[in-house]
Amino acid sequence: MKEQTVRDGYRIAKERYASYGIDTDKVLKQMQDFHLSMHCWQADDVAGFESSGELTGGIQATGNYPGKARNIDELRQDILKAKSLIPGTHRLNLHEIYGDFGGKPVDRDKVTPEYFQSWIEWGKENNTPLDFNSTSFSHPKSGNLSLSNPDKGIRDFWIEHTKRCRWIAEEMGKAQNDPCILNIWVHDGCKDVSVNHFKYRRWLKESLDEIFATNYDNMKDCIEGKVFGIGLESFTVGSHDFYTAYAAKNGKILTIDTGHYHPTESPADKVSAVLNFVPELMLHVSRPIRWDSDHVTIMDDATQELFSEIVRADALNRVHYGLDYFDGSINRIGAYVIGSRAAQKCMVKALLEPSALMGRYELEGKGFQILALMEEMKSMPWHAVYDMFCLENDVPVGDDFIKDVEKYEAVTTSQRG
Ligand code: RNT
Ligand code: ZN
């Protein structure tokens, strides 16, 4: 898009929003401080570098689009390409199975920070702080139950793994001088009717207590529940209630994955509820289609509402903005760019809402006026502000990124065997 067109559009948008008392220049500054935690696992369908075994743990990446990253160099190259098409500066969210193992078998209970040293250096070189995740899935000891397994030996194996992941996160946080967010999601559940629910949840609680016994200064813990996994449909040990209670009681960050609720339940509505009781939130922004399908994030109502609720709660700095989707059916770099930019657009729109005015209307009982304003806001030129954000960050404006992704595909990913 022509630079002058972007500037003209922005000038008009600035004037329109100013009439509602909204300063678009300030919004541009806020956007510069809005960092996504990009999930490394979109680049290779959650495969990682540990083994070539199948993806287990109730999650599934569908699609066989050619060109997925096959090793650490390709993954890094793809992520940098995606980042070059996304305005602003961002973090990278790694899973334990993405360690730099150099082809060596390193079991999950033996992992140490040294396997993430090259990532730490990469993060520094590329101005990309790291976040981290323990990995309970895709392992011979995963089974249906990990941290809540009745077998103490298996429980201890996963406790050791998760403790080591916290240690790794601490080292990452220290090296980057910015806390590393460590997410714990375990797939534990039952396929069919089961009765030992209290026992499983008690084991999970005890495992977590043991895992969290060490205090660290450079990492923060978050815990993620869900409704069900494939093959584990009947019961989920780490449900939303379980983790909400645990996080509230123990001052942990709660992870809200937008695909982890019942279809008519609103993830956005959790924000104002749980932020009264937990210190911070981690998001896994995703797009569930009929189930936790992890489609690419787009500007849908659920995502918009989530970001708007964060802004309305004045909680911008209490939230970590992770993405979590994995679509292997389309160009994977394109998928990164679409989802990241969609999340940013939702944030731009949320920041451009005249929430003070609406809040006042609401307290004065002016229901019609709020509804009218809400409707008007939908067609206000928010996109001109996002375009300006792209221009200022020297990344393609509008759909200009399509041809960059196509070029990268022609030159790079399509050449992969
Ligand atoms: C699974 C959870 C979890 C994973 C990643 C790979 O349902 O959402 O966050 O998607 O850890
Ligand atoms: Zn998730």
Side-chain angles (χ1 to χ4, degrees):
M1 202 186 289
K2 276 208 278 205
E3 185 176 329
Q4 199 49 49
T5 313
V6 178
R7 295 197 185 280
D8 289 347
Y10 181 73
R11 189 176 36 75
I12 294 165
K14 188 175 154 111
E15 206 178 298
R16 295 280 315 269
Y17 280 106
S19 70
Y20 292 101
I22 294 167
D23 178 356
T24 52
D25 290 345
K26 183 178 161 212
V27 170
L28 284 175
K29 285 203 190 77
Q30 285 175 298
M31 286 305 294
Q32 214 62 55
D33 287 333
F34 172 59
H35 312 290
L36 297 167
S37 186
M38 289 172 61
H39 55 314
C40 74
W41 51 94
Q42 163 59 39
D44 72 342
D45 309 345
V46 212
F49 312 127
E50 189 187 60
S51 70
S52 49
E54 55 162 348
L55 178 60
T56 69
I59 52 177
Q60 208 167 73
T62 38
N64 214 356
Y65 197 82
K68 82 172 165 195
R70 295 164 302 181
N71 53 51
I72 203 162
D73 291 332
E74 290 180 354
L75 189 106
R76 285 173 179 165
Q77 192 186 9
D78 288 359
I79 287 166
L80 288 180
K81 183 71 211 178
K83 274 168 62 82
S84 75
L85 302 173
I86 302 164
T89 57
H90 303 288
R91 306 171 69 89
L92 180 68
N93 203 2
L94 287 170
H95 245 285
E96 187 270 350
I97 48 173
Y98 289 81
D100 191 354
F101 304 121
K104 204 164 90 184
V106 179
D107 209 353
R108 307 261 174 106
D109 64 339
K110 299 283 181 306
V111 68
T112 62
E114 81 181 84
Y115 298 107
F116 291 88
Q117 199 48 48
S118 73
W119 273 119
I120 291 174
E121 281 152 26
W122 180 91
K124 276 192 184 159
E125 277 162 28
N126 295 289
N127 187 24
T128 304
L130 306 174
D131 292 321
F132 200 45
N133 295 259
S134 58
T135 312
S136 72
F137 51 83
S138 308
H139 184 276
K141 287 198 174 72
S142 294
N144 290 353
L145 301 163
S146 62
L147 289 177
S148 68
N149 202 297
D151 180 335
K152 186 167 184 310
I154 295 192
R155 245 173 21 243
D156 285 345
F157 175 87
W158 291 110
I159 290 172
E160 183 61 30
H161 167 72
T162 319
K163 281 183 173 172
R164 284 168 179 256
C165 287
R166 292 185 77 230
W167 172 33
I168 294 166
E170 171 68 9
E171 293 305 319
M172 288 176 172
K174 216 184 282 172
Q176 67 202 19
N177 204 11
D178 184 351
C180 169
I181 312 302
L182 187 263
N183 186 56
I184 301 177
W185 166 72
V186 294
H187 58 280
D188 297 34
C190 300
K191 178 179 170 68
D192 216 328
V193 287
S194 46
V195 295
N196 288 314
H197 298 174
F198 189 84
K199 284 200 177 84
Y200 299 134
R201 287 183 170 146
R202 179 48 64 136
W203 280 316
L204 178 55
K205 179 206 170 292
E206 286 170 3
S207 294
L208 291 173
D209 289 347
E210 204 177 320
I211 288 163
F212 294 139
T214 310
N215 286 320
Y216 287 119
D217 297 327
N218 299 288
M219 59 84 68
K220 295 182 181 185
D221 301 293
C222 50
I223 46 185
E224 177 185 10
K226 69 187 280 185
V227 179
F228 76 96
I230 299 174
L232 302 165
E233 289 86 354
S234 292
F235 173 70
T236 302
V237 185
S239 59
H240 177 71
D241 291 346
F242 176 92
Y243 283 122
T244 306
Y246 194 97
K249 183 155 194 275
N250 297 286
K252 296 293 178 191
I253 301 177
L254 188 70
T255 300
I256 293 188
D257 182 310
T258 55
H260 288 193
Y261 299 93
H262 293 283
T264 58
E265 194 178 353
S266 159
D269 190 48
K270 316 281 172 202
V271 173
S272 57
V274 298
L275 274 180
N276 277 290
F277 304 98
V278 302
E280 293 171 25
L281 292 177
M282 170 70 173
L283 300 184
H284 274 188
V285 186
S286 189
R287 179 166 50 111
I289 304 279
R290 305 191 193 286
W291 72 289
D292 184 22
S293 61
D294 288 301
H295 278 67
V296 179
T297 294
I298 56 171
M299 278 193 85
D300 52 13
D301 288 352
T303 314
Q304 185 59 61
E305 198 59 19
L306 178 63
F307 285 92
S308 296
E309 277 296 284
I310 292 165
V311 173
R312 291 169 192 157
D314 196 16
L316 276 176
N317 297 326
R318 292 177 69 195
V319 180
H320 306 276
Y321 300 89
L323 302 171
D324 183 12
Y325 54 81
F326 27 100
D327 190 337
S329 73
I330 58 173
N331 182 299
R332 293 175 185 78
I333 288 91
Y336 266 132
V337 181
I338 292 169
S340 306
R341 289 173 71 125
Q344 292 181 315
K345 288 175 190 172
C346 287
M347 184 50 95
V348 165
K349 243 182 134 184
L351 291 168
L352 289 167
E353 181 179 88
S355 44
L357 178 59
M358 287 182 186
R360 230 172 26 245
Y361 278 160
E362 188 171 319
L363 297 181
E364 290 164 4
K366 294 183 174 166
F368 143 72
Q369 289 86 336
I370 300 179
L371 196 56
L373 262 190
M374 284 269 186
E375 285 303 289
E376 285 308 307
M377 287 305 126
K378 289 178 183 169
S379 51
M380 284 282 285
W382 58 268
H383 56 87
V385 180
Y386 187 72
D387 288 348
M388 190 54 157
F389 180 51
C390 290
L391 186 71
E392 283 188 342
N393 281 275
D394 207 15
V395 305
V397 178
D399 66 8
D400 284 357
F401 72 88
I402 296 177
K403 60 178 185 310
D404 292 87
V405 172
E406 284 174 347
K407 188 166 164 217
Y408 186 70
E409 173 164 6
V411 176
T412 307
T413 54
S414 68
Q415 306 304 313
R416 294 173 185 166

